[in-house]
Amino acid sequence: MILELFNIIIKILAIIVPLLIAVAYLTLAERKVIGSIQRRKGPDVVGVFGLLQPLADGLKLFIKETILPNQSNILIFVFAPILTFLLSLISWAVIPFNYGMVLVDINVGLLYIFAISSLGVYGIITSGWASNSKYAFLGALRSAAQMVSYEVSIGLIIITVLLFAGSLNLSTIVAAQEYVWYCIPLMPLFIMFFISILAETNRSPFDLPEAEAELVAGYNVEYSAMGFALFFLGEYSNMILMSSVATCLFLGGWLPPMDLFIFTWLPSPFWFGIKISFLLFVFIWVRAAFPRYRYDQLMRLGWKVFLPLSLGFVLLTAGVLLGFNYI
C-alpha cells in the first residue's frame, strides 16, 4: 500500500517538476522569440544567453511583499490564484506522452480535460470579485464570457474528432491517427480549434481580460508577489496543456510523421515534445504579429462564425461517416 502510494507520488512529480521547468523557460522563449521578431536581443544579461532569467524572475516574485487589499474578501482573494494554478496541473493526469505512458488512462479522458478547463473560469472570476476593484471585476467578467463562448466551439470540434476516433480516450485517439493525422482531413477544424484555444487561454490577440490600455491589468490587477506568480504559472501551464491536447487530437500525439527509420529511431515522447513546441511557437508568433481584437469582434467570431461552422462540421462528419457505414 505504502509502496503503491510512493509510486503514484513519484509519477506525479515526474509530470509536475518538468512542467514547472518548462513553464519557466517558456517565458524566456517567449521573450526571446518576440525580441527576434522585433529585431532586438531579448533577455541576455542573467546567465549565459539569459538562461538564468526565469530563475531571477521567480526569485524576485518570491521575495516581494504580498499586499492584500483592505476591503477585499481575503479568503477568496488568496484562494483564487491557488485554484487557477491547481486546475492547470490536474488536467495533466490524462495526457499520454507515449503508449501506456500516462498517469491515469481513463476512457473519458477528453471529457475530464474539458470539465477541468471549464472550471478554470472560477479562479479568474473569483479573483476579480474578491479584489473589490471595478477594473479587476470587469476583467473577470470579460474572461468568463470569453471562455464560455469559445468552450462551446471547442466542445463541438471535440465531438467531430470523437466521431472519427470512436473514443474519448486520448491514447485511443492518437492510435487511430497511425496512418493519417486528423489535421489533414480536418484542417479547417484544426485551425478553428487553435484559434479557440488562444481565446480559451486568454492569449493575444484575445487577451481582452488583461487589456492594459483599458483595465490596467484585468482580473489580477490587485495581485502581487506569489499571487501574481500563480496566475502567471497557471496561464503558461494552460498554454502547454492546450497545445498537448491539440497535438493528441490533430497532430498524431507521440507518432512520428512517417514510419521510416530516420523518424522512428527517435523516442516517441521526443515527437510529442516537438509538436507541442511548434504550437507554443505559433502562440508566441501570433502574439507578436497580430493586434488585439475589440470585444465585440471577439464575441462575433465566437458565436456567429465558429459556432455555426463547428456545428455544421459535426453534422457533415456524422452524415459522411454514416453514409459510408463507418459508424
Side-chain angles (χ1 to χ4, degrees):
M1 179 67 184
I2 295 169
L3 197 65
E4 193 177 320
L5 185 65
F6 183 71
N7 190 31
I8 292 168
I9 291 168
I10 292 293
K11 283 181 179 178
I12 291 168
L13 289 175
I15 294 172
I16 290 176
V17 173
L19 175 65
L20 294 180
I21 294 169
V23 165
Y25 279 91
L26 178 57
T27 62
L28 178 66
E30 179 169 35
R31 292 165 72 179
K32 284 282 190 184
V33 169
I34 291 176
S36 179
I37 290 170
Q38 296 171 349
R39 294 179 68 85
R40 53 187 178 82
K41 285 187 178 180
D44 66 341
V45 175
V46 186
V48 182
F49 303 118
L51 288 174
L52 298 179
Q53 186 67 48
L55 302 180
D57 291 340
L59 182 65
K60 181 194 78 170
L61 286 167
F62 185 71
I63 62 175
K64 282 181 81 172
E65 180 187 1
T66 300
I67 298 168
L68 301 174
N70 198 25
Q71 299 295 317
S72 68
N73 187 318
I74 300 295
L75 189 66
I76 299 175
F77 184 83
V78 171
F79 179 67
I82 297 169
L83 177 67
T84 300
F85 179 60
L86 285 177
L87 288 172
S88 70
L89 292 183
I90 59 176
S91 297
W92 284 92
V94 296
I95 298 291
F97 302 95
N98 194 355
Y99 187 76
M101 194 188 286
V102 56
L103 184 63
V104 186
D105 194 19
I106 55 175
N107 286 329
V108 288
L110 206 50
L111 198 61
Y112 170 82
I113 289 173
F114 196 56
I116 297 297
S117 70
S118 301
L119 290 174
V121 74
Y122 286 106
I124 289 171
I125 205 161
T126 50
S127 69
W129 181 81
S131 298
N132 194 30
S133 161
K134 288 184 176 64
Y135 285 130
F137 192 51
L138 278 169
L141 289 175
R142 279 183 170 194
S143 182
Q146 177 174 322
M147 290 170 88
V148 169
S149 299
Y150 282 85
E151 270 169 9
V152 177
S153 303
I154 289 174
L156 289 168
I157 292 166
I158 286 172
I159 289 170
T160 310
V161 175
L162 165 65
L163 288 169
F164 263 73
S167 174
L168 281 167
N169 183 298
L170 283 165
S171 298
T172 308
I173 291 170
V174 172
Q177 299 175 65
E178 189 175 356
Y179 301 109
V180 60
W181 295 354
Y182 287 159
C183 65
I184 296 169
L186 300 176
M187 181 56 79
L189 286 182
F190 176 51
I191 294 166
M192 283 165 57
F193 186 81
F194 186 77
I195 294 170
S196 295
I197 62 174
L198 282 175
E200 177 72 13
T201 51
N202 295 327
R203 291 289 299 179
S204 185
F206 306 116
D207 54 343
L208 273 301
E210 301 162 24
E212 68 280 347
E214 307 135 38
L215 299 175
V216 187
Y219 58 88
N220 59 11
V221 68
E222 298 291 346
Y223 285 88
S224 60
M226 285 312 292
F228 174 78
L230 287 174
F231 274 124
F232 203 68
L233 287 167
E235 179 183 328
Y236 280 79
S237 177
N238 271 329
M239 280 172 62
I240 302 173
L241 173 71
M242 286 300 177
S243 296
S244 66
V245 172
T247 300
C248 288
L249 293 181
F250 294 101
L251 297 178
W254 63 80
L255 299 172
M258 281 183 251
D259 195 16
L260 300 173
F261 177 72
I262 55 167
F263 297 121
T264 52
W265 72 274
L266 289 165
S268 298
F270 171 81
W271 289 112
F272 193 68
I274 285 287
K275 292 167 188 175
I276 290 173
S277 302
F278 169 72
L279 290 176
L280 289 171
F281 172 75
V282 180
F283 262 89
I284 298 165
W285 184 14
V286 166
R287 179 177 177 180
F290 292 98
R292 183 180 289 130
Y293 260 44
R294 281 201 325 265
Y295 197 70
D296 60 302
Q297 292 174 323
L298 175 80
M299 285 295 144
R300 180 184 164 276
L301 183 68
W303 289 106
K304 292 187 176 179
V305 180
F306 280 9
L307 179 60
L309 279 176
S310 52
L311 185 58
F313 264 101
V314 169
L315 296 174
L316 177 67
T317 305
V320 170
L321 293 175
L322 202 59
F324 286 96
N325 292 323
Y326 284 121
I327 52 173

